[in-house]
Amino acid sequence: KAMCSGRLQTALLVAGYFVYLLVGAAVFQALERTAEKQEKMAAAQMKEAFLQNFTQLTVAEMEQFMKNLIEAIQNGVYPVGNESQFEESNWDFSNSFFFAGTVVSTIGYGTLHPKTAGGQIFCVFFALFGIPLNIVFLHRVGKMLSLLCKKLGKFLYEKGMRQKKIKFLTLLFFLATGILVFLCLPSVFFQITEGWSYSEGIYFAFITLSTIGFGDYVVGKQSDRKYFSYYRVLVAIWILFGLAWIALLFNL
């Protein structure tokens, strides 16, 4: 009964956690998408005006254009390519879910952030409740993984192995498995999908899972590459379970 109750609690926690992220993503999308569209239209108009009059611009007007361009890029608007690229939103569901995941995990790349007053206020409350929920989620997943450690240890003990050796081999096994599953294999995936070198993929994976999150490398941000649907959702899920693996290592 206790085992069934524990499994039910875990299932409810995992379900509740992902529902929280899904609801957060939907709200961020609703609050930010319209404002982003207006910003992209303004950037497109600015670019068009510049192309028509760039030979007649004064130094002051040129400097103002550069300031506006830098501000647009800082807000996630890249006025390059044709008009169809302006139709692609930074706040589609996949990107919004990815953003929600980076908020509760405290990674915060800084490349995508809410700009409306409503989005910023919602982000405060979403993080206020989401970060503790994320800690509880990681603790529970880490606990589940530690049960696997105990089972492995029990199996090795029955084979006549000493306790110290069992502890060392258990740690080594989960360290090696985690490095393979959460660092090495994803880096190959990033190399193919993003066009990065393998070392850049490893660097991104480590900086992300350690929650340093510089923001110099972020997935799904290159305008010249085609990404499959829900690519960033999969990356967000990888981040969440990767953080659980790191929590387990600290536990061990």
Side-chain angles (χ1 to χ4, degrees):
K1 281 185 179 179
M3 191 177 286
C4 287
S5 176
R7 284 177 181 173
L8 180 62
Q9 285 176 3
T10 301
L12 287 172
L13 176 63
V14 171
Y17 180 71
F18 279 99
V19 166
Y20 188 81
L21 291 180
L22 290 168
V23 170
V27 173
F28 280 121
Q29 185 180 18
L31 291 171
E32 294 295 324
R33 202 163 187 176
T34 303
E36 183 202 35
K37 197 172 183 180
Q38 292 171 349
E39 211 167 332
K40 285 191 172 185
M41 285 173 65
Q45 289 169 0
M46 179 186 73
K47 178 184 175 181
E48 190 179 339
F50 172 78
L51 291 173
Q52 288 175 355
N53 304 309
F54 72 94
T55 55
Q56 301 165 8
L57 292 177
T58 63
V59 173
E61 287 171 332
M62 188 65 188
E63 284 184 354
Q64 186 59 49
F65 169 77
M66 294 298 290
K67 284 178 184 176
N68 293 340
L69 182 63
I70 291 166
E71 189 179 337
I73 292 169
Q74 284 174 340
N75 288 332
V77 177
Y78 301 92
V80 294
N82 53 34
E83 287 182 11
S84 65
Q85 286 179 305
F86 285 97
E87 296 300 315
E88 295 174 8
S89 176
N90 288 320
W91 291 102
D92 60 17
F93 189 77
S94 182
N95 284 331
S96 299
F97 185 87
F98 181 79
F99 173 74
T102 60
V103 168
V104 298
S105 61
T106 70
I107 294 170
Y109 292 113
T111 52
L112 185 64
H113 50 275
K115 299 164 199 76
T116 64
Q120 289 168 350
I121 291 167
F122 176 73
C123 187
V124 170
F125 287 100
F126 181 75
L128 197 63
F129 294 100
I131 291 169
L133 179 61
N134 182 64
I135 292 167
V136 173
F137 169 78
L138 294 179
H139 176 72
R140 182 54 67 99
V141 174
K143 204 173 178 182
M144 285 171 63
L145 291 173
S146 66
L147 289 175
L148 293 175
C149 290
K150 285 180 181 178
K151 285 182 180 179
L152 178 62
K154 192 178 177 182
F155 172 77
L156 293 173
Y157 184 74
E158 286 171 356
K159 294 291 179 184
M161 204 172 281
R162 290 180 180 179
Q163 285 285 359
K164 283 186 178 179
K165 197 173 183 182
I166 288 170
K167 285 181 180 179
F168 173 74
L169 287 175
T170 303
L171 179 61
L172 186 65
F173 173 76
F174 277 92
L175 180 64
T177 305
I179 288 171
L180 180 67
V181 173
F182 294 109
L183 290 177
C184 298
L185 292 179
S187 298
V188 174
F189 178 68
F190 295 136
Q191 186 180 15
I192 295 165
T193 311
E194 298 288 344
W196 298 337
S197 66
Y198 186 71
S199 62
E200 287 173 324
I202 288 279
Y203 169 76
F204 166 76
F206 176 78
I207 292 299
T208 295
L209 295 184
S210 60
T211 70
I212 295 169
F214 288 128
D216 49 350
Y217 287 85
V218 182
V219 294
K221 296 298 289 181
Q222 298 183 63
S223 58
D224 59 335
R225 298 189 80 85
K226 289 287 179 185
Y227 301 102
F228 61 87
S229 298
Y230 300 107
Y231 165 55
R232 296 189 100 192
V233 171
L234 288 176
V235 175
I237 292 169
W238 160 74
I239 289 171
L240 297 173
F241 284 97
L243 291 174
W245 165 65
I246 286 175
L248 170 70
L249 284 184
F250 284 126
N251 234 2
L252 291 174

